[in-house]
Amino acid sequence: MSAQKQLSYIVNPGGALLGRITVPGDKSISHRSIMLGALAEGSTEIHGFLQGEDSLATLQAFRSMGVKIDGPEQGRVIVHGVGMHGLQTPEQPLDLGNSGTSMRLLSGLLAGQDFDVTLTGDASLSGRPMNRVLQPLSQMGAEIGSEQGGTAPLRIKGGSQLTGIDYVLPMASAQVKSCVLLAGLYATGKTCVTEPAPTRDHTERMLQGFGYATERQGARVCLQGGGKLTSCTVQVPADISSAAFFLVGASIAPGSDLILEAVGMNPTRTGVIDILSLMGANIVLENERVSGGEPVADIRVTASELQGTQIPEELVPLAIDEFPAIFIAAACASGETVLTGAEELRVKESDRIQVMADGLLALGIDARATPDGIVIQGGELQAGQVNSHGDHRIAMAFAMAALRASGPVEILDCANVNTSFPGFAELACGAGLDLTQN
Ligand code: S3P
């Protein structure tokens, strides 16, 4: 373990979150802007790009495949597109670090290239399930080798002619949907994906923005292979998944009054607002507008008395990354919160059900992990030490929990906060959190 990986947070209790802040750019949209920009004809200008390790891993992967990319400089990136067939063989395996989105989307995008390429990642990413992308890609005619059990490294053989498929997703996953659609760009005929529940639709929206037609009928989205992408300008909104920590922090800390500026409000991402509102949070959307093809708003959140709830299962995919934060809200609510239908949380950057249950228990909260969710009894958070297991969202969620704890909360293994939220500690301190890094 490197020295950097040993980074801890110590967060003292008390205080309120106040003022106006802007959280960094949306991670999902940032990844896709580099991918589609690289394959487009012409130069794509990106504003608000997330300069976090995950999206930078995607950026670096395309540089390694011969794409000239200027920046990022204060969120501005220019990708000099090479066209659908202009990528070059990378000299080394592409190291995607902690980023599941990079690996799953790139496996689709690269399956139809004419060169061999290997995708690797860190220990967490190398343990995450990749069969979910390997299966549809092999049905399309791709040749991809993995470790036993379907994990990275993934070895993609170039020169396969892909054929369009009509794929019914076995789980609600935007990453798998996007992987199949990106492979479909290189396939003969039509590629369709049907999802069991709506998942984030940034790939479909951005394809349209780059002039590539997609067709949606209900739960099924299709595209025709063999088209081209035309460069455009991408305005990346602030990431609602990063805003979520502050929505929870300001809801649970008495006296809080916080505005989060220009947050992406894509309806496939706003489950966290629905769930917190069901729990009695005071969340108001202001200045709603459309920016770069995505709805955005300023969000005002003030402290409130939260109540436990039964989380509706249809909201699970729409809040999939926000559950660590939502569990902290549940710990501070009166009564019981029950989550079901969320087994996907077990295969994120960590097993988020178990790791959150362990952390909540360490802070004196009655939290019981179930196979597909959790049951949390609201209570009084105590001082204590929790291990984030290198999971960025677990670390940030427990940092917010300290606002209501009876003593300091120490959080171990926080360096990966930089994968999605560079500057989190500074921004949180500016808003009122008493956080020191060790
Ligand atoms: C993402 C989709 C989600 C999410 C991840 C980003 C994306 O994963 O958890 O952080 O950008 O498509 P799944 O689609 O696998 O649930």
Side-chain angles (χ1 to χ4, degrees):
M1 192 189 267
S2 71
Q4 234 229 328
K5 284 280 170 203
Q6 287 163 15
L7 181 76
S8 307
Y9 290 164
I10 296 174
V11 192
N12 287 313
L17 298 183
L18 296 166
R20 289 182 89 87
I21 60 171
T22 308
V23 301
D26 188 279
K27 184 153 74 72
S28 294
I29 298 175
S30 294
H31 282 298
R32 289 157 171 82
S33 67
I34 298 287
M35 294 177 190
L36 298 192
L39 299 180
E41 289 173 15
S43 294
T44 289
E45 190 166 330
I46 307 165
H47 298 273
F49 180 77
L50 169 66
Q51 293 179 223
E53 288 168 6
D54 278 11
S55 38
L56 290 172
T58 291
L59 186 152
Q60 186 52 45
F62 281 91
R63 274 195 180 133
S64 304
M65 292 186 284
V67 181
K68 187 169 173 291
I69 303 177
D70 306 330
E73 216 174 281
Q74 293 180 337
R76 184 164 173 268
V77 179
I78 298 177
V79 185
H80 300 276
V82 295
M84 294 302 290
H85 299 283
L87 295 178
Q88 291 164 22
T89 317
E91 281 171 12
Q92 312 257 328
L94 301 177
D95 181 358
L96 305 171
N98 194 241
S99 178
T101 308
S102 307
M103 187 166 284
R104 298 210 177 99
L105 271 59
L106 278 180
S107 64
L109 190 154
L110 295 175
Q113 306 294 331
D114 58 10
F115 52 83
D116 295 353
V117 54
T118 298
L119 307 181
T120 66
D122 69 7
S124 157
L125 184 54
S126 304
R128 294 181 65 187
M130 294 297 150
N131 273 335
R132 54 182 59 199
V133 292
L134 300 179
Q135 275 164 3
L137 291 175
S138 76
Q139 276 181 39
M140 295 176 85
E143 264 190 73
I144 309 183
S146 68
E147 295 301 292
Q148 239 192 350
T151 51
L154 302 182
R155 286 170 288 275
I156 302 174
K157 191 105 194 66
S160 304
Q161 177 52 59
L162 306 183
T163 311
I165 54 170
D166 198 340
Y167 193 63
V168 179
L169 288 176
M171 76 290 287
S173 168
Q175 292 184 349
V176 181
K177 172 178 66 176
S178 302
C179 165
V180 175
L181 291 175
L182 292 172
L185 299 176
Y186 290 92
T188 51
K190 198 171 174 181
T191 295
C192 298
V193 183
T194 302
E195 36 188 12
T199 67
R200 65 192 68 192
D201 64 357
H202 303 301
T203 301
E204 301 92 300
R205 279 183 193 244
M206 202 181 284
L207 281 168
Q208 303 267 14
F210 279 80
Y212 206 108
T214 63
E215 189 193 309
R216 180 173 274 278
Q217 274 181 324
R220 186 161 175 259
V221 57
C222 301
L223 58 74
Q224 198 71 39
K228 65 169 191 157
L229 296 162
T230 307
S231 62
C232 63
T233 301
V234 179
Q235 178 66 51
V236 182
D239 198 329
I240 190 167
S241 297
S242 297
F245 304 104
F246 290 92
L247 293 178
V248 168
S251 294
I252 64 174
S256 294
D257 187 348
L258 189 68
I259 294 178
L260 294 144
E261 293 178 322
V263 181
M265 283 290 127
N266 181 311
T268 59
R269 295 288 298 283
T270 48
V272 62
I273 294 182
D274 299 332
I275 294 168
L276 291 176
S277 300
L278 278 175
M279 297 176 77
N282 284 326
I283 295 176
V284 179
L285 303 186
E286 297 176 348
N287 197 11
E288 290 181 71
R289 59 221 187 256
V290 174
S291 170
E294 293 275 351
V296 298
D298 302 332
I299 310 178
R300 181 166 181 199
V301 52
T302 50
S304 58
E305 297 286 331
L306 299 178
Q307 295 101 46
T309 191
Q310 167 85 46
I311 297 173
E313 285 197 7
E314 66 271 18
L315 292 179
V316 169
L318 311 181
I320 194 66
D321 290 338
E322 287 67 75
F323 284 105
I326 291 167
F327 294 172
I328 300 302
C332 297
S334 58
E336 184 176 87
T337 295
V338 181
L339 173 68
T340 56
E343 55 280 347
E344 279 293 305
L345 292 180
R346 292 201 178 269
V347 291
K348 293 295 177 188
E349 286 82 328
S350 70
D351 175 345
R352 287 186 174 157
I353 291 177
Q354 196 56 52
V355 172
M356 283 302 299
D358 291 345
L360 288 169
L361 280 172
L363 301 184
I365 296 294
D366 176 2
R368 184 169 52 86
T370 62
D372 67 340
I374 197 165
V375 181
I376 298 171
Q377 305 293 340
E380 300 293 323
L381 285 155
Q382 311 296 316
Q385 188 188 65
V386 300
N387 191 334
S388 78
H389 290 275
D391 186 327
H392 54 138
R393 300 200 196 279
I394 305 264
M396 291 185 273
F398 279 112
M400 292 300 168
L403 286 161
R404 279 275 290 271
S406 61
V409 174
E410 185 181 14
I411 307 153
L412 305 179
D413 205 358
C414 297
N416 277 340
V417 165
N418 282 332
T419 61
S420 69
F421 201 149
F424 167 74
E426 296 74 11
L427 196 68
C429 288
L433 206 68
D434 182 356
L435 184 159
T436 46
Q437 305 189 66
N438 235 331

